[in-house]
Amino acid sequence: MHDLNYTDEDHGTWRLFYKEFQLHIRKNQKFIHPFFLDNLHVLDSFSEEIPSLKDINRLVEPIGWSAQYVDGYAPGWEIARMLNQNIIPVSAKIRTPEEVFFANEPDLIHDVFGHIPTLFSEEYRSLLKRWSSISSILPVQESDRSQFHLNKLIANEGQSADQIDQLKQAASLLAAFMSKNPSPAYMADKAYFWIFEFGMLKDSNRAKVFGAGLMTSMNELSKIASGDYQVGPISYEKLLEESLISDMQNSYLLADSINSIESTIDRISHSLIALMGNHSYA
């Protein structure tokens, strides 16, 4: 996929997000982890217009990474394979002006503003590699594909409110089933969701946000800053609890230290290896 010709409205949405995002970060910086906050400056050159893929590649090249376009919300197994090759997936799509503060589907704003600053943290990259090294080789089952396509349909524009409700009911039923009958890919995907998208990590005795989904959802970050949310310790068991990725979350998982995230990923890795050894997959 090559660079697209974005409209003036698209560039306007980008500039509006950049301006509001900078204000939002300054206002809530005590709730943001150094993984992100210490590296936010790397996006300074992207303030006026949507960067091209070449621009993004030029930015991440010094840390040994590259970027590649994906079509919005991408399958977790594809993300794992790309990350394991030091490729950061970025969506070619950009949200509408009405979705500046919360978008239902990952877009270029989410990927650039949410993921790239943390990528410049060596500790964060180490966590990504720890997760992707096992997640990139997992078999994919039909239940995994079904869940992806349901979530993709929910995120896509053009659905009526009734259709969205029906799709969410189906996704909820499937998520309930998969939480009790987890496939290897499902377990890996949940870890990615609760660590790299909605992750929170204690720093200076305070819960701080570093997940890309939280960083680029200004409504959700404001909710966290207000204290209007529930939090529990990150664990293997907690990762498997039912959740819908298209909805704003009301509770989050908090890691006390880098070691607790590493231990959780390692526990998942050992479980995945055991699952793969006990089952045959097509």
Side-chain angles (χ1 to χ4, degrees), residues 215-277:
M215 291 308 312
T216 54
S217 173
M218 288 185 266
N219 285 348
E220 203 154 0
L221 188 56
S222 292
K223 180 181 67 176
I224 287 173
S226 73
D228 185 23
Y229 69 98
Q230 296 178 336
V231 66
I234 191 169
S235 68
Y236 172 84
E237 290 75 20
K238 285 287 185 180
L239 288 176
L240 293 180
E241 291 183 359
E242 180 185 349
S243 61
L244 290 179
I245 67 170
S246 58
D247 290 347
M248 188 179 293
Q249 307 301 312
N250 293 312
S251 61
Y252 305 91
L253 302 183
L254 173 66
D256 286 330
S257 65
I258 294 291
N259 286 341
S260 62
I261 296 179
E262 292 175 339
S263 296
T264 300
I265 294 175
D266 289 345
R267 167 83 187 278
I268 290 170
S269 297
H270 296 150
S271 298
L272 294 179
I273 291 170
L275 267 178
M276 291 171 66

Side-chain angles (χ1 to χ4, degrees), residues 1-264:
M1 188 179 295
H2 301 288
D3 285 326
L4 304 179
N5 293 318
Y6 294 104
T7 66
D8 289 341
E9 181 180 67
D10 292 334
H11 286 290
T13 299
W14 181 274
R15 286 190 292 271
L16 175 60
F17 182 89
Y18 187 95
K19 177 183 177 182
E20 294 295 332
F21 185 69
Q22 295 291 335
L23 294 172
H24 207 65
I25 294 299
R26 285 197 290 270
K27 178 182 177 183
N28 298 302
Q29 59 183 311
K30 65 183 179 181
F31 301 102
I32 299 171
H33 196 274
F35 280 169
F36 187 92
L37 201 59
D38 290 351
N39 298 295
L40 182 59
H41 64 277
V42 302
L43 302 181
D44 287 350
S45 62
F46 294 165
S47 61
E48 293 301 317
E49 63 182 10
I50 299 170
S52 67
L53 191 63
K54 184 177 180 180
D55 293 330
I56 299 171
N57 273 312
R58 189 183 300 117
L59 178 64
V60 301
E61 184 179 9
I63 57 172
W65 281 64
S66 63
Q68 184 177 311
Y69 279 139
V70 293
D71 182 22
Y73 171 56
W77 54 90
E78 286 187 9
I79 291 174
R81 290 165 189 161
M82 292 172 72
L83 292 175
N84 198 48
Q85 298 173 42
N86 289 5
I87 299 171
I88 181 74
V90 294
S91 174
K93 297 180 179 180
I94 187 166
R95 66 190 63 183
T96 65
E98 293 75 26
E99 292 183 306
V100 165
F101 293 102
F102 180 81
N104 288 323
E105 182 179 18
D107 69 330
L108 187 62
I109 283 176
H110 165 273
D111 293 328
V112 170
F113 287 89
H115 284 292
I116 287 183
T118 48
L119 197 62
F120 280 78
S121 163
E122 188 174 351
E123 283 185 297
Y124 179 86
R125 292 198 304 273
S126 177
L127 290 175
L128 269 181
K129 180 61 71 172
R130 204 180 196 100
W131 174 82
S132 65
S133 62
I134 181 69
S135 302
S136 60
I137 60 172
L138 298 177
V140 181
Q141 297 182 260
E142 286 308 309
S143 56
D144 301 314
R145 299 184 193 279
S146 297
Q147 186 179 54
F148 166 73
H149 288 301
L150 271 175
N151 288 330
K152 186 76 171 177
L153 284 171
I154 292 170
N156 282 346
E157 298 177 3
Q159 308 281 1
S160 70
D162 286 343
Q163 288 173 323
I164 292 293
D165 285 343
Q166 291 173 15
L167 288 168
K168 284 188 174 182
Q169 288 176 21
S172 180
L173 289 172
L174 182 56
F177 170 80
M178 294 185 73
S179 68
K180 295 179 175 62
N181 305 274
S183 68
Y186 174 81
M187 294 168 69
D189 205 42
K190 293 289 284 187
Y192 185 85
F193 181 80
W194 284 115
I195 296 172
F196 302 108
E197 290 292 353
F198 288 84
M200 299 181 72
L201 175 60
K202 190 171 288 186
D203 178 72
S204 301
N205 293 317
R206 184 190 292 273
K208 296 189 177 182
V209 169
F210 71 92
L214 286 176
M215 291 308 312
T216 54
S217 173
M218 288 185 266
N219 285 348
E220 203 154 0
L221 188 56
S222 292
K223 180 181 67 176
I224 287 173
S226 73
D228 185 23
Y229 69 98
Q230 296 178 336
V231 66
I234 191 169
S235 68
Y236 172 84
E237 290 75 20
K238 285 287 185 180
L239 288 176
L240 293 180
E241 291 183 359
E242 180 185 349
S243 61
L244 290 179
I245 67 170
S246 58
D247 290 347
M248 188 179 293
Q249 307 301 312
N250 293 312
S251 61
Y252 305 91
L253 302 183
L254 173 66
D256 286 330
S257 65
I258 294 291
N259 286 341
S260 62
I261 296 179
E262 292 175 339
S263 296
T264 300

